[in-house]
Amino acid sequence: MRLSLRVLTLAATAAAALPGALGGPLAYALCQTGCNTGVVACYAAAGFTFGTVPIVGAPAAIMGCNALLGTCVLVFLSYPVQLLCVPLTVRG
């Protein structure tokens, strides 16, 4: 059975709202995979392969993809999403 993005978003939001909710390694991996999947798709749409373009002299589309990746990671580090996406070993 395939879950919709709406159901997954609702579940993640509800879990983040719980007091003391902490993400584990699997949650962290899912968050990182989501960001990386997005940037790989962005690079592919621009006609490049992620990880093969040097930052110096990169086309504007690639710089946009990199900004997308940075923004995605920052969203996952923001509260309350960080409760799900930051591994337990990083929290202090």
Side-chain angles (χ1 to χ4, degrees):
M1 182 167 126
R2 187 173 168 186
L3 293 176
S4 70
L5 181 59
R6 180 182 237 167
V7 171
L8 292 175
T9 303
L10 180 61
T13 304
L18 294 173
L22 296 172
L26 180 58
Y28 179 72
L30 289 173
C31 294
Q32 291 300 314
T33 299
C35 289
N36 291 332
T37 300
V39 77
V40 167
C42 185
Y43 266 66
F48 293 91
T49 302
F50 181 63
T52 63
V53 180
I55 195 71
V56 177
I62 297 304
M63 298 304 286
C65 293
N66 291 341
L68 172 74
L69 177 61
T71 301
C72 184
V73 170
L74 286 176
V75 166
F76 284 130
L77 291 177
S78 66
Y79 184 84
V81 181
Q82 72 174 341
L83 296 174
L84 294 174
C85 295
V86 177
L88 296 174
T89 55
V90 172
R91 307 191 99 188

